[in-house]
Amino acid sequence: MPSPILISTKIAGFGLSSCLYNASGPLCSDADELHAIGISHAGAVLSKSATLQERQGNEEPRYVDTRWGSINSMGLPNQGYEFYARFSEQAKTYDKPYFMSVSGLSHDDNLHIIKEISGFENIAGIELNLSCPNVPGKPQTGYDFEQSRRLLEMVFTEVKQPLGVKLPPYFDMPHFEMMASVLNDFPISFVTCVNSIGNGLVVDPDLESVVIKPKHGFGGIGGDFIKPTALANVRQFYTLLDKSVSIIGCGGVKTGMDAFEHILCGASAVQIGTQFMREGTGCFERVANELTDIMRSKGYPDLESFRGKLKDI
Ligand code: SIN
């Protein structure tokens, strides 16, 4: 009998039977979608980013899948934080942690939401979104190091659950270091690298037009296009942050090999966004099986046998 291959992991002190779960974004906005993740092979359930009030989001079309990935400018359509907080009651029936993504439109909104949800014991952790590129007129907080510090100072006075942040992708070495030095000053539980690459542009050459309506066609880029950027961010934050902080890889994960690469760079868990939107919840089982096969063929019994062990040449 071959020994079992384990892809279980721990985030924010909670055990996940699979290291694979959904990115906050696609198919996690309403109760049916969250339930589908709850009963799937995903290792956790993560909500759509919640704002103070319900939002319709940006005008359609606002999500387009291309051969190499996606462009979106959803604009945070969501049911408001109270809905996602209440959903934690239902989420406790799934045998996995429920994480709530929070993306207030101001520091005060974030503080208000975090104060209000602190009493919900079935919210295992909060993923504070510092990186939505799609709300017209609102900058991505994660690109402003002082504002990021200010926001973390505010929320850490109130938060009761473990808190992590979802970062935008960084591209310049000093920027990785600046953000890491902010994060290392707080008791952050996890860091999700990365959100979409903000404000890309996809062109339809036949129509000679943009492909999504909001923001003159500018939107967040996800999928295959962004895997090398995502891996670089996972690797840099794995290297620069305190070892108590779990890194969650997100970006360009379509196959077990993509997940393997994220873990090799240092990720403790891996989120799936664009591919989840294409394939639905079946992706969590398929990618898990592919990852398990790769680990078996390489002789790795669990994630810790290779996590972070990327070699230089
Ligand atoms: C959106 O709703 O616009 C996407 C969420 C995000 O990129 O954080």
Side-chain angles (χ1 to χ4, degrees):
M1 182 80 169
S3 42
I5 305 292
L6 299 176
I7 60 163
S8 53
T9 193
K10 224 175 190 188
I11 300 292
F14 290 88
L16 283 67
S17 61
S18 165
C19 62
L20 303 164
Y21 63 103
N22 67 295
S24 176
L27 307 179
C28 55
S29 294
D30 64 30
D32 289 346
E33 291 173 345
L34 291 165
H35 176 68
I37 301 167
I39 61 170
S40 77
H41 279 74
V45 180
L46 174 60
S47 78
K48 175 73 185 166
S49 291
T51 51
L52 202 53
Q53 313 290 346
E54 182 179 355
R55 282 172 61 85
Q56 297 307 310
N58 295 338
E59 268 184 292
E60 312 244 13
R62 58 192 184 180
Y63 186 101
V64 168
D65 198 343
T66 76
R67 192 158 151 222
W68 299 109
S70 57
I71 181 166
N72 89 84
S73 183
M74 302 300 290
L76 295 175
N78 78 94
Q79 310 210 21
Y81 81 91
E82 288 173 334
F83 169 81
Y84 300 103
R86 278 196 310 271
F87 188 81
S88 64
E89 272 304 297
Q90 177 169 337
K92 76 176 181 220
T93 64
Y94 312 126
D95 197 16
K96 58 186 75 168
Y98 172 64
F99 295 105
M100 188 170 149
S101 171
V102 171
S103 192
L105 299 181
S106 65
H107 288 2
D108 285 343
D109 282 8
N110 280 314
L111 192 62
H112 180 96
I113 295 169
I114 282 168
K115 260 188 197 168
E116 291 291 313
I117 66 180
S118 68
F120 285 79
E121 60 184 25
N122 298 309
I123 299 173
I126 297 166
E127 185 181 88
L128 181 62
N129 184 354
L130 301 183
S131 48
C132 177
N134 301 329
V135 180
K138 297 279 178 195
Q140 288 167 268
T141 308
Y143 286 136
D144 182 331
F145 304 108
E146 273 320 301
Q147 285 306 320
S148 297
R149 178 180 291 282
R150 177 82 200 104
L151 176 58
L152 291 172
E153 279 167 358
M154 289 168 74
V155 298
F156 272 108
T157 61
E158 294 296 340
V159 71
K160 302 281 190 302
Q161 293 95 341
L163 185 127
V165 290
K166 183 166 184 181
L167 296 178
Y170 299 96
F171 305 93
D172 200 13
M173 291 302 181
H175 293 167
F176 290 114
E177 283 161 16
M178 286 157 88
M179 192 42 145
S181 84
V182 171
L183 297 176
N184 275 333
D185 285 342
F186 296 92
I188 299 267
S189 295
F190 59 90
V191 168
T192 304
C193 303
V194 291
N195 208 324
S196 57
I197 297 183
N199 298 304
L201 194 58
V202 172
V203 168
D204 181 328
D206 296 325
L207 295 178
E208 301 180 9
S209 73
V210 301
V211 300
I212 56 170
K213 190 154 182 93
K215 292 180 66 179
H216 303 285
F218 286 73
I221 304 294
D224 297 15
F225 291 124
I226 80 163
K227 189 175 78 172
T229 299
L231 293 176
N233 278 260
V234 167
R235 187 68 184 161
Q236 280 292 17
F237 284 104
Y238 174 75
T239 306
L240 294 169
L241 292 180
D242 292 345
K243 285 294 168 251
S244 59
V245 181
S246 302
I247 310 296
I248 301 172
C250 182
V253 178
K254 233 169 39 177
T255 66
M257 192 57 88
D258 299 322
F260 179 82
E261 290 174 18
H262 272 269
I263 297 160
L264 197 60
C265 289
S268 294
V270 176
Q271 297 177 353
I272 308 180
T274 298
Q275 186 60 26
F276 172 39
M277 182 75 172
R278 287 180 184 139
E279 187 178 341
T281 54
C283 71
F284 302 117
E285 185 174 14
R286 178 186 58 76
V287 175
N289 289 338
E290 291 171 5
L291 175 60
T292 305
D293 287 347
I294 292 162
M295 289 167 60
R296 183 175 295 108
S297 73
K298 286 176 174 279
Y300 293 134
D302 53 30
L303 301 190
E304 289 314 305
S305 344
F306 66 100
R307 190 172 70 81
K309 296 193 178 154
L310 182 70
K311 294 181 225 156
D312 285 341
I313 54 165

